[in-house]
Structure formats: C-alpha cells, structure tokens
Amino acid sequence: MKFLFEKDTWQEIYGSIRKNKTRTAITIFGAFWGILLLVGLLGAAKGIENSFNSMFGDFATNSVFISGSRTSMPFKGFQEGRQIKLTTRDVDLIRSEIKGIQFVVPRNATGGQVTNGFKTGNFTVFGDFPLLDKVQKKKLTDGRFLNQKDINENRKVCVISDGIYKELFDKDEEAVGTYLKVSNISYQVVGVYKSGRFEGKNNLHIPFSTFKLVYNQGDKFQWMVVTGKQEFDIVQVEADVKLLLKNIHNIHPEDNRAFRGFNLGKEISKVTGFLTGMQFLTWFVGIATLIAGVFAIGNILLITVKERTKEIGIRRALGATPGIVRQQIILESLFLTLLAGSLGIIAGGLILMLIDSQDWLTNPTVNIPIILIAYSVLVFLGTLIGFIPAYMATIVKPIDALREE
C-alpha cells in the first residue's frame, strides 16, 4: 500500500501519459465510450418509460377504450354504413355476460364555452361517473371528484383541470364553491385536479346523468372504458366485448369496422417489452464495449512495455524487484481505467441533463447503484487486464533488457 502513496510512482505514471498523449487518449477512449454508452442508453430507456407513464400512468393498465362506428357489411336486413350508438343497456350486459370485467365506465364529451366573470374559454366537457376516478385516478389539488349523489340528483356540479383553473381564475384564487357557466348553464365547482397528458389539460367533468339531460343524450353515450381484472388477458376481454356488442346491435360477426377500439393494456405490454429489450441490449452493448475498451488498454500497455524495455532493464539493474515493476504497470492500467470511467460517467450525466432540459424525454436518469456496478466492473477488468503487460515486463531479464535498442 505504501507504493501507492509514493511521489515517484505517480510521477512515472504522469510522465508516461504526458510522453504519449495521443496514445493515452486512444487507450482510454474505448472504456470511456463504453460507460458513456451504458449510462446514456439506460438513462434514455428510463426517460422513455417515464414519458409513457406520465402519459398513461393515471389509467388502469388493463383497459380498453371502445366506441361505436359505422358498419362495413350488411347483416340481417340492415345495410352497411349504419351508425352504431352505444347504450347503457350495453353496459349492463357487458358487466353480467363477460368474464374478467372489473369496471365498465361509459363516457360522453362535447365542446363548450366556459365562463367565469369576464374570463371565457372553449374547453372539453365530459359527462362522467364517479367510477372514472378508479379507472383514471385524478390527482386532486382541491375539493373532490364526482360522487354517486351527484349522479342520483342530477346535480349541476363540475370538476375542472388545472389548465382551466389557470385560464379562468387568478393565481391563488379559491375555485371550489364558485360557479362557472358552461354553455350558459351554471355549475358549481367541487374539485380541481392536476391534469395528465393523455386527455389534455383543459377538461371539465360533470355528472353523466346531468350531461344526458342537458345535451339530450337519452340512454346513449359516445364511448366506454372497459377494465379487465389483472389475471385476465385484456386482448381477449376486448374481443369478447366486441362480439357481444355485435350480437346486441345485429352486426355481422366479421365486421371489424363497426366498433373502434384502443387497447391500452396491449400497447403498454408492447412498450414494456420494448423497454425490457432495450435495457437488455443496452447492458449487452455497454458491457461488450467496456470489455473491448479494457482490452484496448491492455494492448496499448503491452506496446508501452515493449517501448520501455530498456528503461525497465535499468530499473531492474538498480535493484527494482519484479513485484515493484509489476505493481507499476498494474497501477497505470488501473489509473487509465478509472480516468476513462469517470470521464464517461460525467459525459453521460451531461448528455442526460441536456436531454432533460430540452423536454425530449421525461426525467432520463440512471440509478446510482447501477452506475456503481458498471464502474466497479470497469475497474475490476482494468486491474485484471493490467496483469498481462505487467507479467510481460517482469519476465524479461535485466541483461537482455539493457541490450534492447
């Protein structure tokens, strides 16, 4: 250990590096690039995952969105092109007939002019059930979400997103308890929530029953969110629901255009698989690049040892033991590895900070333990590879080394 703290040891390492600056740069580039690639790709994968979660994270992952469209095939006397309207009866039958159903949430939406005093804006007005808060959890900042009493009594109440709050209210103004005019009908604000990116920032929610009366929807609605239990395949649940709806509405079994659908569970599975594959590829490429970089360090040190054969012979003749020579070469290998790893981590961190500042991805980060593991692997390999040139330096006899030209 005393060898590590001797001034001459580090002066010799510094002299060797300074003497061959270009070679030193080439030596450390491979390991530097390997850990930079590892940090950068892992951070990017995490950023993609965070971006996806920020967009869909509020929704129950095992969900599918289904809406009525137009038929593309004639069936049982009905012509093609018939518009299909979903009804509350469909919801009841889905709940009772389809296995694996956890929630079925019918929804309506329309555009509406919303006014608060002299401030006005055009926003999306949703007609919803309280059950929506279980399927798409609302991050309330004030008040509450819709409840069953609002539905039963057809109350004129609303829950607004923070986007509407910022446009129609002054900063720090109390919104809950005030009244907004939606298409000239007054609604009392009962809650404010932080909006996500999936449905936008300017949404207003009123009771489904109130929406039905105000906009004369009857028992019809525009689309529904069907959430399956976690142990059931949401793709199969979607297929079962659509088949049941085809039977209810007299649609040809092979007509695939009568209902539109977006299977969130299926898309999340795709993204999850992609992220898993990307992380595996990142580790594989990163570790392979690290190993290649470390071997490059070993090869360059072998060349350095060859060039310093005479110098090593002089040191041996002056009393330097094989152990001292070996330690010197191994320490030089370790130092170059540590330098390459440190620069790679710093550069990778700066790149991730740049990506984050530009909002290309959401919070692209790498866990500290992962960085420490990668760094430890690099140091271990760098030390290990140093034994090869160190051994080559010690097997040369001093008298032969002094004859080297």
Side-chain angles (χ1 to χ4, degrees):
M1 291 296 295
K2 182 180 178 181
F3 176 77
L4 292 174
F5 301 101
E6 289 180 357
K7 185 178 180 181
D8 291 343
T9 300
W10 295 103
Q11 282 181 337
E12 186 171 343
I13 291 175
Y14 174 72
S16 176
I17 293 173
R18 186 178 179 184
K19 184 179 178 181
N20 301 288
K21 294 178 182 178
T22 303
R23 182 185 295 166
T24 301
I26 295 172
T27 301
I28 68 174
F29 179 77
F32 162 82
W33 180 250
I35 202 160
L36 170 64
L37 197 65
L38 188 64
V39 171
L41 290 178
L42 284 176
K46 187 64 176 177
I48 294 172
E49 182 180 358
N50 291 338
S51 298
F52 189 79
N53 288 336
S54 68
M55 184 176 293
F56 298 110
D58 295 336
F59 271 99
T61 56
N62 211 32
S63 298
V64 59
F65 305 85
I66 297 175
S67 61
S69 184
R70 292 185 180 275
T71 59
S72 61
M73 302 172 68
F75 189 64
K76 291 186 176 180
F78 292 99
Q79 297 297 317
E80 64 179 283
R82 178 166 51 102
Q83 179 67 50
I84 303 301
K85 293 286 188 179
L86 298 173
T87 68
T88 51
R89 174 174 172 266
D90 298 336
V91 174
D92 295 334
L93 289 172
I94 290 171
R95 286 171 177 161
S96 61
E97 298 293 332
I98 304 298
K99 291 183 179 180
I101 294 292
Q102 187 172 18
F103 304 117
V104 183
V105 186
R107 304 191 67 189
N108 275 314
T110 188
Q113 187 180 71
V114 184
T115 304
N116 179 29
F118 296 103
K119 296 181 178 181
T120 300
N122 291 310
F123 307 113
T124 304
V125 180
F126 289 91
D128 283 315
F129 283 96
L131 193 58
L132 178 67
D133 193 41
K134 293 185 180 295
V135 175
Q136 183 190 13
K137 187 64 180 177
K138 299 297 182 184
K139 299 175 182 176
L140 291 167
T141 58
D142 195 14
R144 62 173 177 84
F145 194 64
L146 303 173
N147 61 33
Q148 192 58 43
K149 201 169 184 180
D150 297 330
I151 300 292
N152 296 341
E153 297 179 7
N154 305 323
R155 287 178 173 177
K156 291 185 175 63
V157 296
C158 66
V159 179
I160 62 174
S161 65
D162 54 356
I164 293 181
Y165 174 83
K166 290 174 183 177
E167 290 201 34
L168 299 185
F169 292 87
D170 295 330
K171 187 177 180 181
D172 298 327
E173 182 181 356
E174 183 68 32
V176 174
T178 62
Y179 286 84
L180 298 177
K181 280 193 173 182
V182 182
S183 300
N184 293 319
I185 298 176
S186 293
Y187 293 82
Q188 185 180 31
V189 178
V190 295
V192 182
Y193 69 92
K194 184 178 180 180
S195 55
R197 293 197 294 178
F198 183 66
E199 282 192 335
K201 297 182 178 180
N202 298 321
N203 298 329
L204 181 147
H205 303 263
I206 65 176
F208 186 89
S209 57
T210 306
F211 188 103
K212 181 173 66 173
L213 293 174
V214 170
Y215 296 100
N216 193 28
Q217 292 292 305
D219 64 345
K220 296 180 176 61
F221 60 89
Q222 295 169 3
W223 83 99
M224 59 182 157
V225 184
V226 179
T227 301
K229 296 177 182 178
Q230 288 299 323
E231 63 270 22
F232 284 81
D233 181 8
I234 190 61
V235 176
Q236 185 60 52
V237 170
E238 178 186 10
D240 292 343
V241 169
K242 286 183 176 180
L243 182 59
L244 176 62
L245 290 173
K246 288 176 182 179
N247 291 332
I248 296 171
H249 293 274
N250 294 312
I251 299 170
H252 196 287
E254 296 180 5
D255 189 343
N256 295 321
R257 296 184 182 179
F259 297 101
R260 295 193 186 98
F262 175 74
N263 197 314
L264 180 60
K266 181 180 178 181
E267 297 305 315
I268 287 177
S269 296
K270 287 181 181 178
V271 173
T272 302
F274 167 75
L275 291 174
T276 302
M278 184 176 179
Q279 288 177 343
F280 173 79
L281 182 63
T282 297
W283 276 106
F284 177 79
V285 172
I287 294 297
T289 308
L290 283 179
I291 293 173
V294 169
F295 271 105
I297 291 176
N299 289 331
I300 295 296
L301 286 176
L302 280 172
I303 297 173
T304 303
V305 167
K306 180 66 176 176
E307 291 179 349
R308 293 166 61 188
T309 300
K310 190 171 183 178
E311 174 193 333
I312 293 171
I314 294 172
R315 292 184 63 191
R316 291 286 303 277
L318 292 175
T321 64
I324 292 176
V325 175
R326 185 165 49 247
Q327 288 175 355
Q328 182 70 36
I329 301 298
I330 292 173
L331 185 59
E332 187 171 337
S333 174
L334 178 60
F335 175 76
L336 292 175
T337 305
L338 288 171
L339 180 62
S342 300
L343 292 176
I345 291 172
I346 293 170
L350 292 175
I351 290 173
L352 293 181
M353 288 174 63
L354 175 63
I355 293 173
D356 190 37
S357 66
Q358 298 298 318
D359 291 329
W360 294 332
L361 297 174
T362 302
N363 192 25
T365 56
V366 183
N367 293 334
I368 296 297
I370 292 178
I371 293 178
L372 292 177
I373 290 172
Y375 198 58
S376 299
V377 169
L378 181 64
V379 171
F380 172 75
L381 292 176
T383 305
L384 195 64
I385 203 70
F387 279 95
I388 299 174
Y391 172 74
M392 297 302 295
T394 56
I395 63 174
V396 180
K397 295 179 181 180
I399 189 66
D400 294 333
L402 290 172
R403 290 177 183 155
E404 186 76 24
E405 292 296 333

